[in-house]
Amino acid sequence: SDSKLESGNAQVLIQRINLQETLNAVIHLIQTTQVTTEKNLKVITNYDPLLPEIIHSDSRRIQQVLYNLLGNAIKFSPENGMVEFNVKIIPTVNTIQFKVKDYGKGIESDDFEKIFEPFRQTETGLSNAAGGTGLGLAITKKLVHAMEGKIAVDSVLGSWTEFTVDFPIKDRDMRVSAESLAKRFNSSMVLFVLDHLDPDVPRIEAVFDYFKIEY
């Protein structure tokens, strides 16, 4: 409960979880909220192809953290805007990294640390708005720290705000090999339909070519 979190006791239950299902659940919730629909917002997801299917973590806590950050981003997004959600693996440091970016009013750099403090009224009034009661981001930070993670914010006033969350994951969760994934496609023909002006086309083609996948 929130009261437990306020006193610093965020209970974390580490178990075997399906990462894709965990992320899908959050995105589905966010995409179907009244605010998202009323503002006609797009939530753009970009997942690293090397994300493991199964990790050892706390699914509920990951969902709470991401729901808070995505809900925040939705709140500050202009109508017909978009929120970007990126997830990638940083294998050198056994870390899974989440980024949530909105293109709203942004945050003053002087307020970067303050927005994580409960009931802190900044001069722009941002932190109270960001947390509703002023607790949203403070609770999010406590949850992240309880899971031995890190949270940071970057922003350009008037343009965008991006929150980055890094969670450590176990060695055994890192065993995803691009080569083994590519082998699954060896007996298949991949058909993908994209506008040739799309900047992602050459990137996707390069990946297929590198792994000798027919497309």
Side-chain angles (χ1 to χ4, degrees):
S1 74
D2 287 1
S3 57
K4 277 184 191 163
L5 291 175
E6 283 163 48
S7 64
N9 304 324
Q11 290 163 327
V12 173
L13 179 63
I14 301 294
Q15 53 189 9
R16 190 174 187 272
I17 64 166
N18 185 308
L19 180 60
Q20 191 69 57
E21 285 175 8
T22 298
L23 298 180
N24 287 352
V26 181
I27 294 301
H28 177 72
L29 271 176
I30 282 293
Q31 284 175 332
T32 52
T33 61
Q34 194 176 347
V35 188
T36 310
T37 313
E38 283 175 359
K39 283 182 156 184
N40 191 31
L41 296 174
K42 280 198 177 76
V43 180
I44 310 290
T45 58
N46 184 14
Y47 298 156
D48 183 337
L50 293 187
L51 282 185
E53 182 183 13
I54 302 296
I55 64 170
H56 292 77
S57 190
D58 187 326
S59 178
R60 192 167 62 108
R61 295 307 193 197
I62 288 177
Q63 288 186 29
Q64 282 176 311
V65 166
L66 296 177
Y67 188 81
N68 285 355
L69 293 178
L70 286 160
N72 213 29
I74 294 290
K75 197 183 297 184
F76 287 112
S77 291
E79 291 204 359
N80 305 310
M82 69 173 177
V83 168
E84 291 175 5
F85 177 54
N86 291 299
V87 188
K88 72 174 183 177
I89 284 286
I90 307 174
T92 48
V93 283
N94 278 27
T95 295
I96 185 165
Q97 184 175 79
F98 303 96
K99 283 182 181 282
V100 175
K101 188 172 189 177
D102 70 72
Y103 293 87
K105 56 188 174 181
I107 301 168
E108 293 268 14
S109 54
D110 290 351
D111 288 337
F112 285 0
E113 289 304 312
K114 296 175 192 168
I115 60 167
F116 294 108
E117 294 170 20
F119 302 112
R120 181 64 179 259
Q121 182 72 44
T122 64
E123 284 178 32
T124 51
L126 266 184
S127 70
N128 272 13
T133 61
L135 269 177
L137 288 172
I139 285 176
T140 302
K141 184 176 182 177
K142 270 190 179 149
L143 281 170
V144 170
H145 285 177
M147 291 175 65
E148 298 177 350
K150 292 184 295 193
I151 184 167
V153 65
D154 194 13
S155 183
V156 170
L157 200 62
S159 289
W160 54 267
T161 300
E162 183 173 67
F163 285 89
T164 301
V165 174
D166 291 338
F167 283 133
I169 58 174
K170 312 280 182 230
D171 271 339
R172 59 186 165 167
D173 295 335
M174 298 296 299
R175 292 182 198 140
V176 178
S177 147
E179 282 75 11
S180 67
L181 290 175
K183 274 178 192 158
R184 295 185 200 170
F185 290 102
N186 278 354
S187 56
S188 314
M189 161 69 87
V190 176
L191 178 69
F192 74 107
V193 183
L194 274 174
D195 184 329
H196 264 286
L197 298 172
D198 190 316
D200 279 335
V201 169
R203 193 166 60 90
I204 294 169
E205 288 182 335
V207 170
F208 286 157
D209 289 338
Y210 179 82
F211 290 111
K212 300 181 176 62
I213 294 167
E214 276 195 68
Y215 64 94

